[in-house]
Amino acid sequence: MEQLHRLYNTHVKLLAFDLFSLTQTPSLSPSDPISFSRRGTFFFRAETVGTITSRELKPNKFLKFTVDDGTGCIVCVLWLNHLVSPYFSRCSPPSVRLIAQMASHFAAEVRLGVVARVRGRITSYRGAVQITVSDVVVERDPNVETLHWLECMSLASKCYDVRPS
């Protein structure tokens, strides 16, 4: 079982095609995170690179945007409600303010047409796979998408799809 969860805290590099092919595994209890698997390996976090093709802002609530990597469009949600969310009320106020500032900074970076690297938790909303964003980096290297594709293919064959012995 430990081998199956070896990538638990790793942002696995995935293309949209791969992300949409994951199998959702129901959690055993409400406190367990929803998990996704592929060929027996569980994935919880993902990283993708692509062009921002849509952007929907609900001020002080969330920013929903899509990333097109050439194999599909991934819906990404960046939460912006940290200062009013009951979830964060048990955290220290300076930490919550810092998290809220970072989320606002990331939201400002997300613009239509930019190429961005997005990392976050793999989640599901109304049956559709999405990424709940933890960070966004606007890329300036024109080769970054091609490099990401090559890394995804290499990692899939050498790491993600390898059955434990």
Side-chain angles (χ1 to χ4, degrees):
M1 188 69 157
E2 183 179 312
Q3 276 292 76
L4 297 178
H5 286 60
R6 69 186 187 279
L7 299 171
Y8 182 78
N9 281 322
T10 304
H11 285 97
V12 294
K13 294 177 184 249
L14 294 175
L15 297 170
F17 174 81
D18 296 320
L19 190 69
F20 298 141
S21 71
L22 297 178
T23 303
Q24 184 173 341
T25 306
S27 53
L28 300 174
S29 75
S31 63
D32 289 340
I34 295 170
S35 60
F36 296 84
S37 64
R38 174 168 130 174
R39 297 186 180 145
T41 301
F42 288 89
F43 300 128
F44 299 93
R45 302 177 193 282
E47 175 180 309
T48 192
V49 176
T51 304
I52 307 296
T53 57
S54 74
R55 183 181 195 279
E56 177 188 344
L57 176 64
K58 300 284 185 192
N60 299 317
K61 292 185 180 177
F62 63 87
L63 170 65
K64 179 178 170 183
F65 60 98
T66 56
V67 175
D68 184 348
D69 70 358
T71 67
C73 294
I74 301 169
V75 173
C76 301
V77 177
L78 173 62
W79 290 101
L80 303 171
N81 64 345
H82 302 91
L83 298 176
V84 296
S85 170
Y87 176 80
F88 288 98
S89 64
R90 60 182 179 249
C91 300
S92 74
S95 296
V96 174
R97 279 193 298 277
L98 181 60
I99 293 168
Q101 287 172 348
M102 291 305 299
S104 293
H105 169 74
F106 293 144
E109 293 282 304
V110 174
R111 296 180 312 279
L112 291 177
V114 301
V115 175
R117 179 178 308 276
V118 178
R119 285 189 281 189
R121 282 184 302 116
I122 305 169
T123 56
S124 176
Y125 180 68
R126 295 184 178 171
V129 176
Q130 65 182 25
I131 295 178
T132 300
V133 178
S134 58
D135 66 277
V136 178
V137 176
V138 172
E139 295 289 351
R140 292 175 180 29
D141 181 354
N143 299 312
V144 73
E145 285 184 277
T146 304
L147 178 61
H148 180 73
W149 272 56
L150 294 171
E151 289 173 334
C152 287
M153 291 185 291
S154 176
L155 287 167
S157 66
K158 294 179 182 174
C159 184
Y160 307 153
D161 296 340
V162 175
R163 292 268 187 199
S165 52

